[in-house]
Amino acid sequence: MKIRRIASRAIVSLVISCLPGGCASVGVEVWERDVLSKPEMQLNHQANNRTIDDHIYFSKEAASGGRGFGGGGCGCN
Amino acid sequence: MAALTAALVGSTVTGATAQSHSETSILIYSEKNRIRATEGNFTLSKQLKNDYTLNLRLTYDGLTGATPTGASPSRYAQTITRASGGKTIAVPAGEHPVDNSFKDTRFAAEAGFSRPLGRLNTATFGAHASSEHDYTSLGINGGIARDFNRRNTTLGLSLSVARDVSKPVGGYHVPFTDIEAEIDDDRETRLERFSGKKRNVYDVILSMTQVLDRQTLLLLNLSLNRASGYLTDPYKIISLVQAPDGGDPGEPVGAIFENRPDSRNKNAVFAELRRHLGRSTAGLQYRYFWDSWGVVAHSVDATLRFDFKQRGAIHPRVRWYHQSEADIYQPFLVQGVPLPAYASSDSRLAAFDAYTLGLTYSVPVRNGSRLNITAEYYAQRGDRSPPEAFGSLLSFDLFPKLDVIMLRLGYERDF
């Protein structure tokens, strides 16, 4: 229970602290995004593979969600 | 649905040029001695004018093979009535009872649309529909993301609502009833048994994408999911075994249909770190999951991409997953002992570890198009002899281990 509270609060606090101003010192300028703009640095890189894997895990394991929506859409045997 | 959400939260901070993209793939999935599936996928992400984006995903799969019924193995040959009615299953002595007549096809379609709202916001809307012969799902979703801190931070909020209907083959069975029990065949009972059982599913995802430096990107998600309605698996049964002081302790004497609670809350904290390392790119994902059925799960997924410039790239991948047992998990029930409020012998609710080893080779075939070849091995290993086992149950592996080989071939195109 404790880990859950800490983990959820850590995410919410990080998100709140990154509202305007909080995370201003972290990051790069527009002209420094050459590496970040590469296809392999995108969070949806290999999206098809990851979506197929997520569906298999959704139907074979008790846990789901996290990266995307967690449920629905499959009877799954 | 996962792909569309990821696209929403990650699209702005990296400064990547928006480009139309499509992928067609085929998956061959094979479980050792169990299910085999073939799945075709088509995904499209089309850039429209004014930075509008249309996302589309179509999936068709066919499954055949054997699936565990949930019943216990026995020292003797067993004959079990199928949950879906009709024929019986002959189970050799010492083997896990499986229903080997499993056959299903699924068609799923998802569509999403995203558009800028002002200079710093992106809004998305989407819908999905999927249909199996015994299960349908319809849902809508929407989200909003906003950039902060010179576009180094994106905060997103996504919501989804889905309505699922389960229409089990052979009709719905009253939980915990004997699988051999005679069912009244009057009109009213048939209407009730074949009318379909409903389930509502709600999702909320709060996400943050943060550029850490020129080579590093971090994604953090908090996801909350609530399902309410019919959550029982209509095809799963639980063996009633003879008590420790019985004539043949641990031997199955009958079976009943399982029974799950009618609501479940699932929560997850997810983190993904991506870092560019010269000619390679590393990705590390971690998820901590907990739900209202008492399951706690951890998963760690690591990928590395090695770039061979003109000759493509390889992506080795390793995933480790562990889950604890759900409160309702009972590998068997003991004859004469009062029934618990809920019980399921579905091994997916047992404690187990799972491992994935994978390798993708991505090779350019023409300017802007690639062929992706993926091979993956997935295994589940659980407690072969749980502490509650006794009598003849001690001589069997009570966790039906799972070994899966997956092969995927995909053709990807930027345009």
Side-chain angles (χ1 to χ4, degrees):
Chain A
M1 292 305 278
K2 205 173 170 189
I3 296 181
R4 293 163 203 175
R5 272 207 304 274
I6 292 169
S8 310
R9 279 181 194 169
I11 293 249
V12 173
S13 335
L14 255 167
V15 167
I16 292 170
S17 68
C18 279
L19 287 170
C23 280
S25 59
V26 182
V28 296
E29 297 298 335
V30 176
W31 55 89
E32 295 175 314
R33 292 180 197 234
D34 49 339
V35 173
L36 291 168
S37 65
K38 288 176 182 281
E40 60 269 30
M41 281 302 287
Q42 308 313 302
L43 289 164
N44 58 0
H45 183 59
Q46 296 270 314
N48 188 44
N49 269 358
R50 292 170 63 159
T51 305
I52 291 170
D53 277 336
D54 281 349
H55 186 77
I56 291 166
Y57 300 141
F58 168 78
S59 69
K60 293 288 162 194
E61 299 173 348
S64 63
R67 197 169 73 82
F69 295 127
C74 169
C76 294
N77 272 277
Chain B
M1 289 192 288
L4 301 181
T5 316
L8 160 72
V9 295
S11 58
T12 44
V13 294
T14 59
T17 313
Q19 200 172 18
S20 292
H21 176 92
S22 74
E23 182 163 1
T24 308
S25 69
I26 184 152
L27 159 75
I28 310 284
Y29 170 98
S30 178
E31 296 177 359
K32 191 178 175 188
N33 301 326
R34 307 239 299 253
I35 304 254
R36 279 163 198 269
T38 308
E39 178 175 295
N41 270 294
F42 173 73
T43 58
L44 172 73
S45 177
K46 172 100 175 118
Q47 296 303 317
L48 309 171
K49 58 183 180 182
N50 302 326
D51 288 332
Y52 287 24
T53 309
L54 176 72
N55 292 304
L56 186 68
R57 181 176 181 83
L58 303 172
T59 305
Y60 182 80
D61 55 32
L63 290 84
T64 55
T67 186
T69 59
S72 304
S74 162
R75 276 191 285 149
Y76 315 105
Q78 301 185 78
T79 306
I80 294 175
T81 304
R82 281 169 54 194
S84 52
K87 293 175 190 161
T88 53
I89 307 162
V91 186
E95 287 192 15
H96 265 283
V98 291
D99 184 347
N100 51 18
S101 64
F102 178 68
K103 200 170 186 181
D104 206 354
T105 53
R106 181 177 67 106
F107 177 71
E110 293 170 46
F113 177 73
S114 77
R115 57 161 294 179
L117 276 183
R119 199 172 61 84
L120 296 171
N121 302 316
T122 309
T124 61
F125 315 92
H128 84 262
S130 80
S131 170
E132 293 158 67
H133 72 289
D134 58 352
Y135 199 91
T136 52
S137 175
L138 288 172
I140 51 168
N141 61 76
I144 182 115
R146 184 176 174 84
D147 294 338
F148 296 95
N149 308 328
R150 297 161 292 139
R151 289 193 194 272
N152 282 297
T153 309
T154 303
L155 296 182
L157 176 70
S158 308
L159 307 170
S160 156
V161 180
R163 184 68 179 298
D164 295 7
V165 179
S166 168
K167 283 190 177 177
V169 177
Y172 159 81
H173 296 276
V174 177
F176 282 161
T177 52
D178 191 326
I179 62 163
E180 307 283 356
E182 286 281 327
I183 300 165
D184 286 340
D185 206 24
D186 58 72
R187 190 171 175 274
E188 206 171 307
T189 315
R190 282 189 73 80
L191 273 177
E192 161 67 17
R193 290 185 58 236
F194 290 91
S195 62
K197 292 285 171 187
K198 296 171 182 70
R199 172 191 304 186
N200 294 324
V201 186
Y202 308 95
D203 275 281
V204 179
I205 299 178
L206 182 65
S207 67
M208 184 184 87
T209 314
Q210 177 67 47
V211 172
L212 297 180
D213 60 34
R214 263 181 100 154
Q215 288 87 26
T216 320
L217 194 61
L218 174 71
L219 167 68
L220 289 173
N221 282 354
L222 173 65
S223 84
L224 309 171
N225 166 280
R226 179 174 170 80
S228 60
Y230 182 70
L231 304 182
T232 294
D233 186 325
Y235 305 121
K236 293 281 186 246
I237 59 175
I238 312 177
S239 288
L240 287 172
V241 302
Q242 292 191 44
D245 56 358
D248 206 347
E251 270 303 315
V253 287
I256 56 174
F257 290 102
E258 68 153 45
N259 186 18
R260 304 187 190 196
D262 57 9
S263 72
R264 185 179 184 187
N265 295 332
K266 298 195 277 191
N267 315 287
V269 172
F270 173 85
E272 177 171 355
L273 192 69
R274 288 187 87 80
R275 184 165 172 83
H276 199 267
L277 310 159
R279 282 180 62 182
S280 60
T281 310
L284 185 66
Q285 297 173 39
Y286 169 73
R287 180 185 65 189
Y288 176 72
F289 170 95
W290 69 102
D291 74 5
S292 58
W293 290 3
V295 177
V296 174
H298 301 270
S299 64
V300 180
D301 200 334
T303 54
L304 205 54
R305 177 191 153 106
F306 294 105
D307 232 306
F308 301 126
K309 299 225 163 137
Q310 299 307 312
R311 283 173 296 144
I314 57 163
H315 312 240
R317 171 183 180 218
V318 183
R319 177 181 184 265
W320 168 78
Y321 169 84
H322 170 80
Q323 71 176 49
S324 68
E325 181 179 296
D327 301 333
I328 61 166
Y329 177 69
Q330 300 272 354
F332 53 86
L333 293 167
V334 181
Q335 191 182 27
V337 173
L339 291 173
Y342 303 103
S344 170
S345 60
D346 190 339
S347 59
R348 293 171 292 190
L349 297 173
F352 66 81
D353 288 278
Y355 312 89
T356 306
L357 291 174
L359 189 67
T360 296
Y361 179 44
S362 198
V363 55
V365 283
R366 278 209 311 265
N367 201 16
S369 57
R370 290 167 296 285
L371 207 56
N372 296 319
I373 305 152
T374 302
E376 272 182 6
Y377 167 70
Y378 174 74
Q380 279 184 5
R381 295 290 181 269
D383 192 351
R384 298 161 60 94
S385 190
E388 58 268 43
F390 61 87
S392 67
L393 293 166
L394 290 169
S395 51
F396 304 118
D397 177 355
L398 293 186
F399 183 87
K401 69 176 182 180
L402 180 66
D403 291 281
V404 187
I405 297 285
M406 288 171 264
L407 295 171
R408 278 198 288 268
L409 186 65
Y411 176 69
E412 203 178 355
R413 195 163 74 89
D414 300 327
F415 57 98

